[in-house]
Amino acid sequence: MAQAAAHDHHDEHHDEHHEHLNFFQRWVMSTNHKDIGTLYLVFSLLMFFIGGSFAMVIRAELFKPGMQLVQPYFFNEMTTMHALVMIFGAVMPAFVGLGNWMIPMMVGAPDMALPRMNNLSFWILPFAFTLLLSTLFLPGGGPAGGWTMYPPLSLQSASLAYVVFAVHLMGISSIMGAINIIATILNMRAPGMDLLKMPVFVWSWLITAFLLIAVMPVLAGAVTMLLTDKYFSTHFFDAAGGGDPVLFQHVFWFFGHPEVYIMILPAFGIISEIIPTFSRKPIFGYKAMVFAIASIAFLSFIVWAHHMFAVGLPLGAEIFFMYATMLIAVPTGVKVFNWVATMWGGSMTFETPMLFAVAFVILFTIGGFSGLMLALVPADFQYHDTYFVVAHFHYVLVTGAIFAIIAATYYWIPKWTGNMYSEFWGKMHFWNSVIWVNVLFFPQHFLGLAGMPRRIPDYNVAFANFNMISSIGGFLFGASQLIFLGVVIHCVWFSKKKATDRVWEGARGLEWTLSSPPPHHSFTVAPVIHDEELAHGHVED
Amino acid sequence: MTSGGIGRYGSRPKGFRHVVGALGVLALGLFGGTVQANPEPGQLNLTPGVTTYSHVPYVLNNVALGVCVVIGILVFGAMFIAMFRFRKSRGAVAEKWSHNTTVEIIWTVIPIIILITLAWLATDGLRQFSDTTGAQMTVKVTGYQWKWRYDYVDYEGKAISNVGFMSKLDDQSNATRQLNSGLDPYAVKVDGYNTYLLNVDHPLVVPINTKIRFVITADDVIHSWFVPALGWKMDAIPGVVNATWTNITEPGIYRGQCAELCGQDHGFMPIVVKAVSKEDFAKWLADQQKPVAPAVPAPASTAAAPAQAAATTAQVAPAHGTQG
Ligand code: HEM
Ligand SMILES: [Cu+2]
Ligand SMILES: [Cu+2]
């Protein structure tokens, strides 16, 4: 390796330099992409468990008919907070953390382009979530109008101002993170790392970052209008003052639909790294994969009203948004087919990251199927706001986004720490997760089809059996995640098994040419790129 | 309510619909013979409903589900074959190719064709749904935190002046649903059918075989009027009046719930539609229109919206509160 010699020298220098830092300097004042990446990931894991504990409250109350544990208002606080914490606290920061860690190493850069902004964009988050979570302890309680914050209901909440400010902070953080990622990818690539040689994960983040910059300001605008409606006598959403409550929904979903793709495109990238590695075969249709991500991102801007089919849109609008939504199934299908084609003719092994990736492909596709069904307007008039929708978005978000994040952690943690995780416990975690997540969410399709509305704390006895099954699945899925925590802790501090630099036999790409763990600054000297070292270095398609 | 469902859409004309209908029947068979209009324990699929329109979402759902299952079997099947055949432990050696234009074109074009078919079906259903013309009756539905109000506007060409009432969760469900009430949800029954959280004090009474136009709005926050057996839901939005319709073909009691989060008691504002013969409806309506002796002009809600103001003078309690 041409760069290896140069590296050793720099490593010593930097590791030395790094010794001088005390805990506060290292973590709070960090400008290092790896340390900040770690902060993001740790924060995300914490939020995952906090958001998960809210979900446990929800499933416990829904365990059987009758109100046993909480008051209805508190139940609504739980559903609202669960969604806000999981979306903005767990999934999005996890992807930013993974991007922080991996993008500079994948494109041959020493660090992120804007390291100080990187520090700020992370450190805003603990404040944002402290503010958000503190509302649960305030008189009047936390937000209880759903994560979608539809007025006029959301205006009845006493904690609206806190939520709005927290959302502003999260938005600022996301936008700064996105700018940093775009700047890094466009400016910091090593010579020879052409755009079309970049790993799919880097591509997916580049496109996601543009989505973030486009839509986070829209969310900020929407919630600011809520704030002024409540406190400054504006009437954006108040029909009595000439406003329109439906306007909020249009603005919100103009953010909201791209937002759901913000939570899945980096996952597509991760899966597109893992499947080729464990199939020992390059990704099938590299350019088609990149193009599919780009077209999904484009389409995500013109489908927002599929969340609003039941608000009474004119016929022409219903038809337009139905067709546009259905169109997304085409590039999504291409991705799934290409993953399967990558496996076909490969030489596969099934370590934990691959198991999660395979489960992702199947279960995300099931979520895509229900998405397609939801896109059919007359059918959506039945499904909308029932548990069918709840099942849909949990298949795409839990077995989609979260499974991809978990897969990425198993895939890259040996690189990050220099230690192998316990394959046995990784597999235990996998099998428990994959079984219980289906016990948890599959019956929710039936509940929705039978007509059970979402966001209700109690239900008719006809819904009892599937709710109980779902709750049991929920508790066990939640408990299974403690295995994950154990595996991570063991790997970081206790594992005796050292990881090699390449870690996985089939791994290709610049990040695997660095030591495990990598030096403090990734590539202080731009690496010499050998196309055959890259996963996609010399593909024609 | 039990209904075969097959007859209703089986009798629809035209070639393609037959195929679609047949697929629907197939799915129906798969999901158990009896299909009910109200939720039943263990129910696995949508209800075919009880109106001239409600088969539309039902058939569409079954066709779309069938398409997804077939695609799923093909894709996941190929994947499992790959996982067994191309394992390193079985000595598989990775091939080098990573591209094949022909198959890529095939798996782009075939989904497009399938989608066009589904879109065509859905568009056709949507056209039927959006045609609110020719209604013989109009009912105004207003959502409140946390009850519904029904105002009868006209019937068979004649305006109805003073029939309107509030409809809220029945007392037995309401007592049972209190936190740690100690009451058993399983004990809340009407005619052997459990009505816990699905029963109201005053149901909406409507005639069958009548095209009924609903105008739906709300007074405070957004609600959504949802009765699965009618085949749709429609948001009730303050300041907006949405129009939709139904034409129920079978007498019966059809239950639903508010479907849009509307605050703490969102889960406790059910909807009950009682569909009766035209004769019974005429009698019921006449009863309602009889002046009630001590006319109490009690505004039942907190806010005084225009809708409310118009109705306060005609605040009439239904003569017989039909319990399920
Ligand atoms: C084939 C692709 C997809 C299609 C056609 C699709 C379609 C839809 C439709 C029509 C709805 C509205 C349902 C309703 O409220 O009545 C919906 C809801 C939702 N979808 Fe998807 N979807 C797809 C993929 C995804 C992905 C990839 C994600 C996220 C990773 C996602 C996340 C969500 C969420 C969170 C909601 C519910 C939002 C809420 O009301 O709280 N969907 N989807
Ligand atoms: Cu969407
Ligand atoms: Cu409601």
Side-chain angles (χ1 to χ4, degrees), chain B residues 140 219 304-312:
Chain B
K140 179 171 178 226
D219 182 68
Q308 183 73 24
T312 37

Side-chain angles (χ1 to χ4, degrees), chain A residues 253 256-258 260-261 300 303-307 325 328 392:
Chain A
W253 288 114
H257 189 81
V260 306
Y261 281 97
S300 75
V303 298
W304 76 87
H306 66 212
H307 297 274
T325 303
I328 294 198
H392 159 68

